[in-house]
Amino acid sequence: MAEPLFLQSVMQEKIWGGQRLKTEFGYEIPSPTTGEYWAISAHPNGVSIVANGPHKGKALDQLYAERRDLFGNSQSPVFPLLTKILDADDWLSVQVHPGDAYGLEHEGELGKTECWYVIAAEEGAEIIYGHAAQSREELAQMIEKGEWDALLTHVPVKAGDFFFVPSGTMHAIGKGIMILETQQSSDTTYRVYDFDRKDDTGNLRELHIQQSIDVMTIGEPANSHPDTVELVDASLTTYVSNEFFTVYKWAIHGELSMKKQADYYLLSVLDGQGELELDGQTYPLKKGDHFILPSDCQDWTFRGHLEMIVSHP
Ligand code: ZN
């Protein structure tokens, strides 16, 4: 019998974190500066544990190693994706991630292409998305002189926005924003600028200027264009589809039966409640649930009011 894999995952404290993972999603948080919930992760820095069914208690990385058949017999040596919810109570550092070639050569892990679905944003909230330098030399000069206002491209954001952030993109999530991030399973970040903030031991966080200049893309980032299909009881949006991941929003208001069209799916319920029917079993779903539909799930039905971000490699 095919079963979904519901997951219990790891919180990460960050100097820019807040309390909304508790107040908005009801998760237990370790401190008032909790920045990230690694909701679906097989990354060694925070691995999800299966919470139900025959694999209950198994770490996702271990399950991926032992039961590759549940993941489309994927050739990828590591579980390729990572889903996070971030609560930015303050600006994250201005940063860039390497691509796979640079990441594997210099850090021993994949690069990081990521994308963001904005769950909530305060009035006036902004991100940094791209930069104004016209060449690598100009980029290096502007960073060296600290010309941040001229260099960094600020973009206003609101709930429901989506941003595709390929490796090499200068970016920062701004104060007052909650996002769901779908990314390659990597934890390599090159910090360009950290607003001269000190951590709780009074130290500046490390910057990685040369690596940042090496991997930065010159030219404006190209955001993806969402494509929505309206059905009677659902609206299905595809945000982005590329060599790393495909990301959707499935908004269901009623009942929707689906057949599998990918090897496996990662799902995050961001709002509403309802149920999943699969192989004659019914599973309740509510805001804050994260689960995987593995490869043996052929078809299923969702019922209720559900807003989910869904992805697959
Ligand atoms: Zn990032």
Side-chain angles (χ1 to χ4, degrees), residues 77-245:
V78 295
F79 184 80
L81 298 182
L82 174 48
T83 302
K84 294 178 183 174
I85 298 181
L86 287 88
D87 171 16
D89 200 45
D90 196 356
W91 278 89
L92 276 72
S93 60
V94 180
Q95 55 187 252
V96 62
H97 307 293
D100 285 348
Y102 193 98
L104 288 168
E105 185 183 339
H106 295 269
E107 313 294 342
E109 70 168 1
L110 294 173
K112 183 168 157 186
T113 284
E114 63 188 57
C115 62
W116 307 336
Y117 175 78
V118 179
I119 299 170
E122 282 173 4
E123 191 70 38
E126 293 181 331
I127 59 170
I128 288 164
Y129 186 60
H131 64 80
Q134 300 297 311
S135 67
R136 210 163 294 283
E137 295 68 42
E138 189 181 12
L139 175 70
Q141 281 169 15
M142 291 177 86
I143 290 174
E144 194 190 339
K145 291 183 189 155
E147 294 175 346
W148 306 115
D149 289 344
L151 178 63
L152 304 173
T153 306
H154 288 249
V155 176
V157 302
K158 59 182 188 314
D161 285 350
F162 186 90
F163 294 90
F164 178 49
V165 186
S167 62
T169 306
M170 178 98 83
H171 65 278
I173 298 168
K175 179 178 164 57
I177 299 173
M178 277 195 104
I179 66 160
L180 181 135
E181 177 173 49
T182 304
Q183 56 163 97
Q184 288 182 273
S185 184
S186 163
D187 203 18
T188 300
T189 293
Y190 296 142
R191 258 186 226 121
V192 184
Y193 175 52
D194 200 29
F195 307 94
D196 302 317
R197 278 181 298 196
K198 300 204 166 95
D199 66 16
D200 50 14
T201 53
N203 295 312
L204 297 167
R205 295 197 294 176
E206 190 187 353
L207 300 178
H208 316 89
I209 301 296
Q210 190 54 52
Q211 295 96 318
S212 298
I213 293 166
D214 285 349
V215 306
M216 198 83 71
T217 301
I218 305 300
E220 285 189 14
N223 203 359
S224 61
H225 298 283
D227 178 31
T228 300
V229 177
E230 296 289 351
L231 305 173
V232 179
D233 279 359
S235 102
L236 308 178
T237 300
T238 306
Y239 287 113
V240 63
S241 186
N242 56 44
E243 62 183 301
F244 305 109
F245 43 64

